[in-house]
Amino acid sequence: MLRPVLQYPDPRLFKISEPVAEIDDSVRELAQDMLDTLTTVGGVGIAAPQIGVLRRVVIVDVSLMEPHEEGKEIPQDFRVVVNPVITVLDPAKHVENEGCLSVPGFRAKVARPKRVAMDGTDLDGNPVRFEGEGYFGACLQHETDHLDGKTFVDRISYLKRSMYEKKMKKK
Ligand code: NI
């Protein structure tokens, strides 16, 4: 089911999400709603709090792991990760121009560790691990940040953030 995507600065986007203790129907339904919402509005990832559910579930597009060549279309490959945990594999800084479904009409350069791993489980409780760097690595970190009440806006300079907040107030 398509759910409305919360928009910054909705207070629920700043809350810490609860770990999933057991994968039951409520978790499967949540994952389906997240997938329906993501594929309808379009994007490369989504976290449960973005549809107002404070549980540690994300969806990431693992096709981004593949090198994207000019003119060669790789179909999106969405995977649900329950209780994701990020491990930094290469702390060197990498900068990506990030955007977010919850922060419409705004993109900004965000510096994060270059290479990371995301560990968690799939909807059957089987362990999953995705490793990535560059854009994909940034996506893994961006989605997990949402579970800790952070959007990419919290990782940019105060000046850039106030520019965005001013723009939002005008609307
Ligand atoms: Ni986001």
Side-chain angles (χ1 to χ4, degrees):
M1 192 177 73
L2 174 64
R3 305 265 296 257
V5 177
L6 303 188
Q7 311 277 281
Y8 183 93
D10 188 297
R12 286 168 288 179
L13 292 171
F14 308 127
K15 296 253 162 71
I16 309 256
S17 292
E18 290 288 327
V20 172
E22 190 197 345
I23 298 164
D24 55 13
D25 283 347
S26 74
V27 177
R28 284 184 280 269
E29 201 174 296
L30 166 64
Q32 188 60 54
D33 286 354
M34 288 165 65
L35 187 62
D36 292 345
T37 304
L38 179 58
T39 52
T40 304
V41 299
V44 295
I46 193 167
Q50 292 184 275
I51 60 166
V53 180
L54 297 176
R55 303 182 77 179
R56 301 187 82 85
V57 180
V58 299
I59 295 181
V60 289
D61 176 7
V62 301
S63 79
L64 299 172
M65 254 190 290
E66 308 297 325
H68 277 53
E69 284 165 40
E70 199 73 43
K72 194 179 150 209
E73 212 40 50
I74 300 177
Q76 289 190 300
D77 183 2
F78 292 120
R79 303 294 177 87
V80 177
V81 182
V82 178
N83 296 330
V85 175
I86 294 289
T87 309
V88 174
L89 302 177
D90 182 349
K93 286 283 174 254
H94 172 85
V95 176
E96 277 295 332
N97 195 29
E98 294 189 23
C100 178
L101 297 177
S102 294
V103 189
F106 183 65
R107 299 186 78 84
K109 291 195 171 110
V110 183
R112 299 179 186 269
K114 186 180 165 196
R115 184 171 180 84
V116 297
M118 174 188 276
D119 288 285
T121 76
D122 63 15
L123 284 176
D124 297 315
N126 299 316
V128 289
R129 180 183 176 94
F130 299 114
E131 285 184 19
E133 57 184 65
Y135 184 57
F136 182 58
C139 290
L140 296 175
Q141 295 173 77
H142 175 122
E143 297 313 332
T144 308
D145 261 1
H146 277 298
L147 307 180
D148 293 320
K150 281 203 183 90
T151 68
F152 78 93
V153 179
D154 299 304
R155 294 202 179 271
I156 61 178
S157 71
Y158 172 75
L159 189 67
K160 276 190 191 154
R161 186 162 64 238
S162 32
M163 269 165 51
Y164 175 67
E165 284 168 355
K166 253 185 223 154
K167 198 173 113 188
M168 289 296 286
K169 266 186 202 142
K170 272 192 200 149
K171 279 190 185 166

